[in-house]
Amino acid sequence: GTRIFAVSASGRNAGDRCWLNFVLPTTAAIVFTIRNDTTGGAQLLPSATYPSNAYTTDGVVTSLSVALFFNGSVWQYDFSKSPA
């Protein structure tokens, strides 16, 4: 199934940063998205890197880190990495 992680914008200031570290199960085909402020908010993972703006576990990669920054109105994607 799909898992949604919403990053709250409440009380944030321009320039704030958020570093998310996910420990992933070794189960394939679990889809998760990171969204701005609410579960219905804008998807933060870029489609150029993550098809459908979501990350799908492959059963091999066990962690993923995502960096976000707050522009004063909404969270923005900065970068992500996973172990090689």
Side-chain angles (χ1 to χ4, degrees):
T2 299
R3 308 294 188 261
I4 301 172
F5 188 87
V7 183
S8 177
S10 178
R12 301 292 69 169
N13 297 304
D16 283 355
R17 301 189 66 76
C18 179
W19 185 262
L20 305 171
N21 293 301
F22 295 95
V23 176
L24 305 172
T26 55
T27 303
I30 298 173
V31 177
F32 74 91
T33 65
I34 302 170
R35 293 184 178 254
N36 188 63
D37 201 35
T38 66
T39 57
Q43 294 186 21
L44 296 174
L45 295 175
S47 61
T49 306
Y50 301 97
S52 303
N53 302 98
Y55 181 83
T56 303
T57 60
D58 62 6
V60 176
V61 175
T62 57
S63 66
L64 175 71
S65 297
V66 178
L68 306 172
F69 68 92
F70 194 72
N71 70 6
S73 299
V74 296
W75 286 105
Q76 303 264 307
Y77 173 84
D78 192 2
F79 67 91
S80 61
K81 67 176 189 168
S82 60

